[in-house]
Amino acid sequence: MPGAIYAEGLVKTFGDVRALDGVDLDVPEGTVLGLLGPNGAGKTTAVRCLTTLLRPDSGRAVVAGIDVVRNPDAVRRSVGLSGQFAAVDEYLTGRENLQMVGQLYQMKAKAAKARAGELLEQFHLAGAGDRPAKTYSGGMRRRLDLAAALVVSPPVMFMDEPTTGLDPRNRQQLWEVIKQLVSGGTTLLLTTQYLEEADHLAHDIAVVDHGRVIARGTSDQLKARTGGERVEVVVHEREHLTTASEVLHGFGKGEVALDEHIRRLTVPVTGGAKLLAEVIRELDSRGIEIDDIGLRRPTLDDVFLSLTGHVAEEETAEGAEDTSAEGGSGTDSARSTRRKEATK
């Protein structure tokens, strides 16, 4: 049986841009799938197809046991969506926003009011619940938007880069809320560019690039594919970067990665602590002063770089996927999902 979220061979094009090129997904009930990819990789297009905001050109998608193309209205009643941008009415209070969403889903006024109060408490917004949303900080609006997606306690949730722009404290708070949802049985598809976020939350990770899933597995499985360990060196003087790179290249088992801004060099190696000691001796013999050196396991950043040839945050040629190519902003799309029930 397919999972709570299932897609097979999804294709979606916008003119000459093939945003989805045969995407396959299967998310078991009560788990989190982290969908990783650079801007324009197809993450948001996949979410919009799965939540009925876009009709795929071909392929099949089933959410909560319901075919997305054949019965979109039933899918909308079974999912919650938090888009890339907070879809709240800034002239309403936080409480009024939540009550409005409840009533759009045909909840009775008393029940919608009670649910709004519960969510304001859960998302640490009770003290600001009667203030207009336009007075909220970015983090508060993000939390209010997520609360609105949960008004009807959907069994399946889609979160499209939910913590983008949040400070570390607000991000941690949102992570805790997400964990509580999943522990209660909610199935979640989470798109993100924060690799730490996927590492922290996802049971399984799918890496998407150029509209295709190019790798799938747990965080540890993907890291194991990258293999080996990494030596990281931060040199004291910028003029020593070239020489230090030559030294590391001699010990490494791959290309030396350079972050010139912080004077850091990284190279995959084998040999453990013994090799690290040899690297230190060689750098010292060349007169290269270092601020820091260490041996570490591969991270998801390393996985991303090895699989795609670029870092997760890099903009690609298909970057228009998240805006005009799909015919509207993330705010409009998220709001339209919530209001379609009221316009039937």
Side-chain angles (χ1 to χ4, degrees):
M1 289 290 290
I5 302 171
Y6 177 79
E8 181 180 0
L10 282 189
V11 173
K12 184 65 183 177
T13 59
F14 301 99
D16 295 332
V17 177
R18 200 171 179 85
L20 297 181
D21 191 16
V23 167
D24 297 327
L25 297 172
D26 192 357
V27 189
E29 186 176 339
T31 66
V32 180
L33 174 67
L35 202 60
L36 302 187
N39 292 333
K43 305 186 303 296
T44 295
T45 302
V47 167
R48 292 179 179 174
C49 286
L50 291 167
T51 55
T52 77
L53 294 174
L54 286 173
R55 186 183 179 97
D57 298 331
S58 61
R60 177 170 177 252
V62 176
V63 176
I66 307 163
D67 190 284
V68 168
V69 173
R70 293 179 183 173
N71 200 349
D73 290 339
V75 171
R76 293 172 198 137
R77 287 191 289 267
S78 302
V79 304
L81 169 62
S82 178
Q84 288 187 12
F85 306 96
V88 299
D89 190 319
E90 63 180 14
Y91 293 102
L92 297 180
T93 67
R95 191 180 309 277
E96 288 167 343
N97 266 283
L98 298 180
Q99 290 177 212
M100 176 188 70
V101 172
Q103 291 179 294
L104 287 173
Y105 275 102
Q106 301 175 4
M107 294 175 67
K108 292 186 181 299
K110 186 176 180 180
K113 183 177 180 180
R115 182 60 175 154
E118 292 172 6
L119 289 167
L120 289 171
E121 290 285 350
Q122 182 180 358
F123 284 85
H124 310 287
L125 292 169
D130 296 312
R131 283 168 36 197
K134 66 182 179 181
T135 68
Y136 285 15
S137 67
M140 293 169 70
R141 288 188 185 206
R142 205 74 183 101
R143 281 180 279 152
L144 181 61
D145 179 70
L146 181 54
L150 296 171
V151 166
V152 293
S153 303
V156 179
M157 275 290 300
F158 294 86
M159 297 184 186
D160 195 5
E161 301 188 16
T163 61
T164 297
L166 295 188
D167 60 45
R169 178 172 172 271
N170 278 312
R171 186 174 297 146
Q172 288 284 347
Q173 287 181 344
L174 201 51
W175 287 357
E176 290 306 312
V177 170
I178 291 171
K179 286 181 178 178
Q180 290 171 17
L181 287 174
V182 177
S183 67
T186 300
T187 304
L188 172 63
L189 189 149
L190 168 78
T191 79
T192 183
Q193 291 182 345
Y194 294 115
L195 302 182
E196 178 193 4
E197 186 162 90
D199 222 349
H200 194 75
L201 296 174
H203 297 96
D204 214 9
I205 295 170
V207 181
V208 180
D209 199 27
H210 297 293
R212 295 184 178 186
V213 176
I214 60 173
R216 175 79 185 258
T218 66
S219 176
D220 286 341
Q221 287 170 342
L222 291 176
K223 291 172 185 176
R225 284 184 54 169
T226 306
E229 299 168 306
R230 301 296 190 267
V231 167
E232 275 190 355
V233 178
V234 178
V235 302
H236 186 68
E237 300 290 345
R238 196 173 302 276
E239 56 265 29
H240 288 155
L241 283 171
T242 300
T243 306
S245 179
E246 293 171 358
V247 170
L248 292 183
H249 184 74
F251 287 99
K253 299 298 180 181
E255 294 299 316
V256 179
L258 167 65
D259 188 333
E260 191 168 357
H261 179 68
I262 57 175
R263 308 183 308 282
R264 183 178 66 195
L265 299 150
T266 307
V267 67
V269 298
T270 57
K274 181 179 178 181
L275 180 133
L276 184 63
E278 294 175 5
V279 171
I280 293 172
R281 283 195 293 269
E282 182 64 20
L283 290 169
D284 185 58
S285 71
R286 299 279 194 105
I288 300 172
E289 186 179 352
I290 59 176
D291 291 338
D292 192 21
I293 188 168
L295 192 68
R296 63 165 176 79
R297 293 182 60 212
T299 65
L300 283 178
D301 286 287
D302 298 318
V303 172
F304 220 98
L305 186 61
S306 67
L307 290 172
T308 69
H310 47 70
V311 296
E313 293 81 5
E314 181 176 309
E315 186 74 36
T316 69
E318 294 91 347
E321 173 226 335
D322 290 340
T323 53
S324 59
E326 294 193 359
S329 71
T331 303
D332 294 336
S333 299
R335 187 176 289 121
S336 68
T337 294
R338 295 175 189 155
R339 292 184 175 171
K340 278 181 179 178
E341 286 301 303
T343 58
K344 288 193 299 177

